[in-house]
Amino acid sequence: MSDLLSYILTAEFGYSMLRVTTPILFAAMGSIVAESSGASNIALEGNMLFAALFGAIGSGLTGSVFWGLIIAIAGGLIISALLIYFGLYLKTDIILSGIALNTLASGGSIFLMYVILHDKGSTSSIKTLVCPNINLPGIENIPVLGDILSGHNILTYFAFLSVIFVWFLLYKTKLGMHIRCVGENAEAAASVGIKIKSVKLVSLLISGVLASLGGAFLSMGYMNGFSRGMVSGRGFIGLAAAAMGQLSPVPTLIASLIFGCADAMSNIMAAMRIPDEFVKLIPYVTTVVGLIVISSWRTWRVKKKRIAALVSAN
Amino acid sequence: MDEILRLENITKIYPNGVTANKDANLSVRKGEIHALVGENGAGKSTLMKIIFGMEQPTEGNIIYNGKQTQIKSPLDAIACGIGMVHQHFMLVESMTVAENIVLGAEPGKGPIPNNRAMIEQTKEIIEKYNFVINPKEKISDLPIGTRQKVEILKALYKGAQVLILDEPTAVLTPQETTELFRELRGLRDMGHTIIFISHKLNEIKEICDRITIMRNGTTVGVHDVGSVSQQEISNLMVGKDIDWNIEKNPPKRGEVILDVKNVSVLDEAQRSILKEVSFSLHAGTILGIVGVEGNGQSELVEAITGLHKADAGSIKFHGNDIADSSIKQIREMGLAHIPQDRMLRGAVVNGSIEDNMIATFIDKEEFSSGPVLKTKKIRSWSEKLIKDFMVKTDGPEVPVKMLSGGNIQKVIVAREFSSNADCIIADQPTRGIDVGAAKFIHRKLIEMRDNGVAIMLISADLSEIMDVSDSLLVMYGGRFVAYFPDASKVSEEELGQYMLGVKQQTSEEVKGCIA
Ligand SMILES: Nc1ncnc2c1ncn2[C@@H]1O[C@H](COP(=O)(O)OP(=O)(O)OP(=O)(O)O)[C@@H](O)[C@H]1O
Ligand SMILES: [Mg+2]
């Protein structure tokens, strides 16, 4: 136990926490954009899975990281396109369609891998390129902080920048205003001539791109190569983070970091020979506990304020 | 005067086969306030949505400024200079006044709105039309009357010359209505044309120049408002004479059913809205509660019905304290509630009429055995309610959202009135309901009171509350400021003075309402 503590207090742990937060954060930001327009993107998990696979194969085949990323995004958007087609055009329930697409992605990714590489387990037969790591000039030389913040994969920095991007998009652009309006009161949007379907479509696409970047990170950064089921619930944890952050970018960032921390901790524990079954539970237990803590804290705060006000009123 | 808008033989058949308009004709002159009246479901809102491009006519022509015009979407309508304020608010509550006003036509080039211009332009338009609103305030913080004004400004900002107002006064207090009328007259003087829908005929007499009457989807005539009486208008609407009289015997006052003691409620911002109010409600009586909206009436109703618990005080129903009971428990004890905000709380808008009528009795033995519903019983029962309460629809399986505004209201009233409750909290029960059906509801209330039901009636309509109630309480600033044991002995003027806080009874006099 004390081993664990002493490890958590190192710069190395901080570094690995940011690393594992990356895919969760992308997914969470993707969820915010979609959910704000009232079209839930439950298919984040599927977006990430396809993006991870396409990125792994794409970068290997083209020999270019850049094209690998583009292909990864295109792969992730296949799932978004299906979700848009089912949910917005055929008007099926968007949540159920999302769940179905996740199942499709999990089988589909293995199928595609087999068709292309004749392998059902991983893409190890092809050499995946990894996105470069970046040293932050100036910061890299600061003790401790430099070790935590510098030298990450470029996609990790993108993930944190995406928080600013999503905030700016939702609160500072016309499109963002329209997205929030459609999400909150679609009829009101229609009555001023905003096209509900187009707005939802655009938010689902943006959401898909963000989640795909998270997927690409998994196979072109976190690991080099795709293996079956490699997203393992990170899309859902991202959904939970967005819910905990009540669709606000900064609180969602904090929630994602908490989940990232749990994930990093489970990695250490796995290395310390704590039973695997238990370790794997940690991120999910954190999610549930996190949701409970946040909501009871909110109720408690309101109650406390009420009692105080009542006392002063009488 | 020139004609600005003409509808010729408009027929509208909704995709589900309902004919909402049949050969409707309308001619509106530039610069007039034109009233459109008709019973619930007569097709007024549908006709207006056609003008505003939200629905397409199945047949017929729209002539705007002398030219035949196709209006395919609200954008087309806005481009023509037509604006509409809908029967149900179309505002985004989390956004500011300015954002709502410019929404869909934000100033600024490119993808980023120019915030400074947004505030400036909103301020300009607010001043131009002599409204008093802070553009930076959030909609959720505004009272209903102000929200209504934001809706009007939204249309004006987009250059509306013709302004359609679909039952704008249904949710307003008399004071807010007076203010709205002052502003509407101002708009007319500036050359705007207004189409005004209302079920309150006195309002129409007060502010409109001409009136078009609709019946069963078609228009049955246009008149100068000065040349027809309210009686004549309502007879034309219904197609037969309406009985205006309400018979009322003296109440047979029974035991105390509901006993409210020192109840206080705080709002979100922790200000106290309800300040230690007490009263008793007796079986066989109708207690009217009047007050300008926002003086604590809604909070009182929410505390009693369990929607929002009181922060202090006791509420006894049949002698049992219900302060901590759930809404379901309170209902099961025999308390029925017609909520003020139907779209939010009363109705499951996506559910069918039948689902909505059964919603609160689903556990009763008549309608279910264990978890299984007795669908035949439910069907025949909802068919009977539809008939009794004159809900205009094709059948009980129609989704509530396809009903006209007033008919949604009737579905809720029918459910609550038939619940066999011995206490009914009726919060604005006739809001948005046509005169004929409103009279029916008034008679029903009195009939139930004669059968020993205790009724608490909250209404912004003074004539309704004075006609129906036995005794009256006036609320002002979260307290009761006056009690009249005999409602027939007060005048509207006197009530008005108490409602505005000009006069106040002694606390001894007010305490007359306890036990
Ligand atoms: N979206 C819809 N789909 C199907 N039928 C509809 C729809 N909207 C309205 N209707 C039907 O069309 C008829 C006319 O409705 P409309 O809303 O125009 O009435 P209204 O005159 O505005 O009534 P109210 O005074 O109650 O508001 C009603 O019978 C209603 O049930
Ligand atoms: Mg209507």
Side-chain angles (χ1 to χ4, degrees):
Chain A
M1 204 61 209
S2 64
D3 280 3
L4 183 65
L5 250 180
S6 63
Y7 189 80
I8 287 178
L9 295 175
T10 61
E12 218 173 308
F13 180 77
Y15 179 89
S16 97
M17 178 173 130
L18 296 189
R19 200 164 85 99
V20 295
T21 299
T22 303
I24 297 175
L25 189 55
F26 270 127
M29 291 301 133
S31 172
I32 291 183
V33 176
E35 199 72 45
S36 296
S37 78
S40 302
N41 186 3
I42 302 290
L44 288 169
E45 185 87 6
N47 284 138
M48 294 173 81
L49 208 51
F50 260 48
L53 173 71
F54 276 69
I57 298 179
S59 66
L61 291 183
T62 58
S64 146
V65 170
F66 176 76
W67 284 109
L69 273 181
I70 298 292
I71 292 170
I73 292 172
L77 287 183
I78 294 176
I79 299 292
S80 296
L82 288 171
L83 185 68
I84 288 166
Y85 179 65
F86 292 141
L88 300 185
Y89 289 86
L90 299 184
K91 304 238 157 61
T92 58
D93 184 286
I94 200 151
I95 307 265
L96 294 181
S97 314
I99 294 173
L101 285 172
N102 283 333
T103 317
L104 175 94
S106 117
S109 57
I110 299 168
F111 175 73
L112 284 177
M113 193 159 57
Y114 184 72
V115 169
I116 301 171
L117 303 173
H118 302 288
D119 188 336
K120 289 187 206 162
S122 73
T123 57
S124 52
S125 60
I126 201 166
K127 192 174 170 332
T128 296
L129 300 184
V130 172
C131 295
N133 286 358
I134 306 273
N135 287 325
L136 299 178
I139 296 178
E140 66 178 313
N141 300 324
I142 305 173
V144 188
L145 206 62
D147 292 337
I148 298 177
L149 297 181
S150 183
H152 279 286
N153 191 287
I154 187 167
L155 287 177
T156 300
Y157 296 117
F158 277 177
F160 285 86
L161 288 178
S162 79
V163 178
I164 300 171
F165 165 76
V166 167
W167 172 82
F168 189 82
L169 170 75
L170 287 182
Y171 297 99
K172 295 286 157 195
T173 66
K174 292 181 183 176
L175 175 63
M177 262 175 95
H178 292 186
I179 290 178
R180 287 185 295 134
C181 174
V182 168
E184 192 175 325
N185 189 343
E187 262 195 309
S191 76
V192 292
I194 296 174
K195 299 213 163 57
I196 298 177
K197 214 197 252 176
S198 331
V199 169
K200 287 191 171 176
L201 187 147
V202 171
S203 352
L204 283 174
L205 286 178
I206 295 174
S207 168
V209 170
L210 287 168
S212 299
L213 286 170
F217 172 79
L218 286 174
S219 67
M220 299 171 64
Y222 192 69
M223 303 278 166
N224 61 343
F226 176 85
S227 59
R228 61 191 288 175
M230 85 181 303
V231 178
S232 70
R234 288 185 178 86
F236 289 113
I237 294 179
L239 275 176
M244 244 169 95
Q246 293 197 317
L247 305 186
S248 298
V250 174
T252 302
L253 166 66
I254 295 170
S256 303
L257 281 169
I258 293 173
F259 293 145
C261 176
D263 209 1
M265 222 138 80
S266 71
N267 284 347
I268 304 171
M269 285 172 152
M272 294 168 87
R273 298 215 205 124
I274 293 167
D276 201 35
E277 289 78 6
F278 175 72
V279 169
K280 281 204 176 121
L281 267 178
I282 292 180
Y284 303 102
V285 172
T286 319
T287 315
V288 174
V289 172
L291 286 172
I292 294 173
V293 169
I294 289 273
S295 64
S296 39
W297 176 72
R298 278 198 193 110
T299 3
W300 174 79
R301 207 179 46 165
V302 170
K303 222 185 218 161
K304 206 181 89 170
K305 258 178 143 181
R306 287 202 158 254
I307 293 169
L310 205 61
V311 170
S312 66
N314 295 336
Chain B
M1 259 190 286
D2 305 340
E3 181 184 68
I4 185 162
L5 173 74
R6 186 163 83 241
L7 300 184
E8 286 178 349
N9 301 321
I10 297 282
T11 295
K12 169 70 188 178
I13 303 172
Y14 277 110
N16 64 349
V18 172
T19 307
N21 293 132
K22 180 108 191 64
D23 283 328
N25 293 290
L26 177 69
S27 161
V28 182
R29 292 179 192 152
K30 194 165 166 44
E32 72 170 344
I33 302 186
H34 193 109
L36 187 64
V37 298
E39 285 184 288
N40 295 128
K44 306 178 292 293
S45 296
T46 305
L47 200 60
M48 295 302 109
K49 284 182 194 161
I50 288 173
I51 302 176
F52 191 59
M54 293 191 95
E55 296 288 350
Q56 296 306 307
T58 316
E59 272 170 44
N61 299 317
I62 303 175
I63 315 276
Y64 186 70
N65 269 332
K67 279 195 293 273
Q68 180 156 345
T69 313
Q70 293 256 340
I71 304 179
K72 290 224 166 68
S73 73
L75 280 181
D76 289 352
I78 292 167
C80 285
I82 300 173
M84 176 159 175
V85 175
H86 295 264
Q87 194 164 357
H88 306 293
F89 282 145
M90 298 277 186
L91 295 170
V92 185
E93 293 201 9
S94 69
M95 292 187 185
T96 63
V97 169
E99 286 172 323
N100 269 280
I101 288 177
V102 303
L103 199 65
E106 300 85 0
K109 287 208 182 83
I112 294 162
N114 180 341
N115 278 321
R116 181 145 359 110
M118 186 164 91
I119 301 282
E120 283 301 309
Q121 292 176 4
T122 313
K123 265 197 191 133
E124 255 167 48
I125 195 138
I126 290 174
E127 274 162 29
K128 176 170 170 203
Y129 292 102
N130 286 319
F131 285 57
V132 190
I133 305 177
N134 174 1
K136 289 183 185 160
E137 213 155 356
K138 259 199 189 156
I139 299 293
S140 55
D141 295 336
L142 296 179
I144 303 287
T146 315
R147 294 186 193 194
Q148 181 77 262
K149 289 179 194 160
V150 177
E151 287 277 29
I152 295 174
L153 287 169
K154 240 168 91 176
L156 293 174
Y157 175 81
K158 287 168 191 132
Q161 285 304 310
V162 176
L163 196 58
I164 302 168
L165 303 176
D166 195 350
E167 296 194 36
T169 58
V171 291
L172 299 188
T173 61
Q175 287 73 16
E176 287 170 330
T177 302
T178 312
E179 206 179 318
L180 175 72
F181 284 1
R182 188 174 53 73
E183 284 152 356
L184 292 186
R185 288 195 189 98
L187 284 174
R188 176 179 54 190
D189 296 343
M190 292 166 94
H192 292 274
T193 308
I194 296 168
I195 304 180
F196 182 88
I197 300 181
S198 175
H199 290 294
K200 300 179 191 166
L201 302 182
N202 54 336
E203 292 179 349
I204 288 176
K205 293 289 281 184
E206 186 184 335
I207 191 163
C208 297
D209 303 307
R210 295 196 307 152
I211 179 171
T212 294
I213 298 167
M214 290 191 80
R215 182 163 74 223
N216 282 331
T218 188
T219 41
V220 292
V222 48
H223 306 267
D224 281 326
V225 163
S227 67
V228 280
S229 71
Q230 292 189 35
Q231 179 85 49
E232 283 165 334
I233 296 173
S234 48
N235 291 349
L236 283 167
M237 267 163 55
V238 188
K240 57 176 191 258
D241 285 355
I242 299 187
D243 181 4
W244 287 83
N245 290 321
I246 293 189
E247 299 221 356
K248 205 169 142 199
N249 301 318
K252 291 194 276 297
R253 184 165 139 140
E255 61 190 290
V256 174
I257 301 273
L258 183 70
D259 198 18
V260 172
K261 266 213 182 70
N262 300 326
V263 165
S264 299
V265 170
L266 301 172
D267 69 358
E268 307 267 297
Q270 318 304 329
R271 288 171 300 222
S272 70
I273 320 187
L274 208 56
K275 298 167 187 155
E276 307 202 346
V277 299
S278 308
F279 71 93
S280 331
L281 181 60
H282 291 257
T285 61
I286 300 179
L287 173 64
I289 299 207
V290 279
V292 176
E293 194 157 313
N295 277 281
Q297 303 93 307
S298 336
E299 286 75 17
L300 179 60
V301 170
E302 289 181 355
I304 296 173
T305 51
L307 281 167
H308 192 307
K309 297 286 170 206
D311 289 293
S314 85
I315 302 172
K316 287 211 174 98
F317 186 51
H318 285 301
N320 304 317
D321 201 320
I322 53 167
D324 290 317
S325 310
S326 70
I327 299 176
K328 186 166 177 221
Q329 284 166 337
I330 296 174
R331 280 190 172 276
E332 278 168 359
M333 289 165 81
L335 186 119
H337 173 212
I338 301 168
Q340 189 183 71
D341 194 337
R342 260 73 67 174
M343 299 306 270
L344 197 69
R345 284 199 174 129
V348 184
V349 274
N350 287 319
S352 67
I353 298 180
E354 187 172 78
D355 292 347
N356 273 282
M357 284 181 161
I358 192 85
T360 54
F361 322 123
I362 202 133
D363 292 337
K364 285 217 173 130
E365 250 173 60
E366 291 162 73
F367 300 121
S368 61
S369 46
V372 184
L373 294 176
K374 298 179 179 166
T375 43
K376 266 202 197 121
K377 281 242 171 76
I378 294 176
R379 179 56 52 95
S380 63
W381 185 74
S382 28
E383 273 166 357
K384 182 172 174 301
L385 285 188
I386 287 172
K387 204 163 129 252
D388 286 355
F389 285 81
M390 303 170 288
V391 180
K392 190 168 176 286
T393 175
D394 282 356
E397 67 286 353
V398 173
V400 161
K401 68 169 172 216
M402 290 189 178
L403 294 182
S404 76
N407 280 303
I408 297 179
Q409 168 72 346
K410 287 186 198 169
V411 169
I412 304 305
V413 174
R415 174 182 78 205
E416 298 299 322
F417 276 14
S418 57
S419 66
N420 283 329
D422 48 16
C423 181
I424 295 183
I425 313 285
D427 196 356
Q428 321 283 358
T430 59
R431 173 173 287 177
I433 285 191
D434 64 56
V435 272
K439 286 284 167 237
F440 170 77
I441 288 175
H442 293 162
R443 283 197 196 97
K444 198 85 190 164
L445 279 168
I446 291 165
E447 180 190 316
M448 283 193 293
R449 154 244 207 205
D450 289 340
N451 292 333
V453 176
I455 295 167
M456 179 172 143
L457 173 67
I458 297 95
S459 177
D461 180 347
L462 283 188
S463 61
E464 162 173 284
I465 209 150
M466 292 172 69
D467 279 357
V468 178
S469 314
D470 299 313
S471 50
L472 279 179
L473 271 169
V474 186
M475 274 195 113
Y476 177 74
R479 288 197 174 88
F480 290 132
V481 292
Y483 174 62
F484 302 98
D486 189 345
S488 61
K489 296 225 166 69
V490 253
S491 66
E492 271 193 38
E493 288 69 37
E494 206 179 345
L495 275 184
Q497 293 193 317
Y498 285 106
M499 284 167 70
L500 294 174
V502 181
K503 277 171 86 178
Q504 199 163 352
Q505 289 182 350
T506 64
S507 61
E508 291 314 307
E509 282 174 293
V510 178
K511 275 190 186 136
C513 67
I514 303 172

